[in-house]
Amino acid sequence: FEARLEFTAVQYAVTEMYNGDVALDLMVSGGSGSVQIATPGSGESIKVVMKELIEDGKAHGVDYVRKKLTKIVEEPVLAVVRKTLRQRTQVPVRIVAISGFWYSAKNCTKFYQGLREPREKARVCDAWNPQDPTDFNDIDVVMERVDAALNLRLERLNEEPQPELSQNKKKAEFDRDIVALLRTQVILNIIRSALTQKHAIPRRVTVMFARDWVIKDIPFR
């Protein structure tokens, strides 16, 4: 029920923002204890407790968390995506990622801006601005950026602290930002695979990260 309500609200925002020319196909959102995924015909709320995943990451590492996340979300995510979009041929498929996913994109941008070396910035690619949700990005481009930012965050876990650098005064830890990026990576990859797999009709899949809109000069959140 929660997922369907969120989809309805986001669908209204997208319709108003694009003057009825753009249809929303899928919405994903995530908080501290759950993930919601919804399409026009289906919705699901999945228990995903961020605090538990952070502790798992500290104890067992990133591969353990990625596998655990996949096991938790794969079946319900695929059920929602396939049930509604399996027969859809319209291109592109449009996804809006809100709440915790928006913050993940924002942190990805923030991390990009704080990188110390040009070579690292080149690896992350150009940062998008999730605070200005004016267009949809190709999912392959989005995943390239998420993957690169996550990999660099994980590399920091093995670095020793450098007190002379204000952004790196203490040793990095397996934290909420890493888990949020992992959650974004896992779920969007599942969706992308379901919509572009070889036996399906090829589709272009696009993603927009959003949190706040201004509709008819009124803040909508």
Side-chain angles (χ1 to χ4, degrees):
F1 185 70
E2 180 182 358
R4 295 301 306 279
L5 285 177
E6 287 189 337
F7 180 89
T8 300
V10 175
Q11 184 179 44
Y12 168 78
V14 170
T15 300
E16 290 295 319
M17 186 166 61
Y18 287 92
N19 298 315
D21 294 331
V22 170
L24 176 64
D25 297 301
L26 191 146
M27 182 279 311
V28 290
S29 70
S32 297
S34 65
V35 166
Q36 283 72 46
I37 177 168
T39 69
S42 184
E44 189 76 40
S45 182
I46 310 163
K47 184 179 179 181
V48 180
V49 182
M50 298 289 282
K51 185 176 180 180
E52 292 180 1
L53 294 175
I54 293 170
E55 295 305 314
D56 287 337
K58 291 177 178 178
H60 306 292
V62 64
D63 288 339
Y64 178 91
V65 176
R66 185 180 283 112
K67 290 177 182 177
K68 182 176 180 177
L69 259 171
T70 302
K71 183 176 181 180
I72 292 170
V73 304
E74 186 170 33
E75 184 175 339
V77 167
L78 287 176
V80 172
V81 173
R82 288 172 175 166
K83 182 177 180 180
T84 302
L85 301 181
R86 181 169 44 194
Q87 303 300 325
R88 189 178 183 281
T89 59
Q90 180 177 322
V91 177
V93 173
R94 294 184 174 92
I95 301 168
V96 173
I98 66 171
S99 58
F101 291 90
W102 178 87
Y103 281 107
S104 179
K106 181 180 179 182
N107 286 332
C108 192
T109 301
K110 181 180 178 181
F111 178 65
Y112 170 89
Q113 294 169 344
L115 292 177
R116 301 193 300 271
E117 300 179 19
R119 66 177 180 83
E120 290 184 331
K121 288 190 176 183
R123 288 170 59 189
V124 177
C125 308
D126 295 333
W128 71 86
N129 181 4
Q131 295 176 329
D132 181 24
T134 56
D135 205 356
F136 289 84
N137 296 284
D138 187 272
I139 196 168
D140 290 333
V141 176
V142 171
M143 295 312 303
E144 180 184 359
R145 295 167 178 173
V146 170
D147 292 347
L150 176 59
N151 288 338
L152 286 170
R153 287 297 300 266
L154 294 173
E155 286 178 12
R156 293 281 175 87
L157 295 178
N158 298 319
E159 289 184 359
E160 291 301 318
Q162 301 180 41
E164 70 277 9
L165 298 172
S166 59
Q167 71 269 33
N168 194 23
K169 289 183 178 179
K170 61 180 181 179
K171 186 173 178 61
E173 295 182 348
F174 199 100
D175 59 11
R176 187 183 183 88
D177 290 344
I178 290 177
V179 171
L181 281 168
L182 271 170
R183 183 175 65 178
T184 299
Q185 181 191 62
V186 167
I187 291 176
L188 289 185
N189 268 329
I190 292 171
I191 293 170
R192 176 173 60 173
S193 296
L195 295 176
T196 60
Q197 54 192 299
K198 292 181 179 180
H199 65 269
I201 297 172
R203 298 175 174 90
R204 178 171 176 249
V205 182
T206 59
V207 182
M208 178 172 70
F209 293 94
R211 179 171 177 264
D212 299 315
W213 291 270
V214 177
I215 299 174
K216 299 177 182 177
D217 299 321
I218 300 174
F220 182 83
R221 181 176 177 182

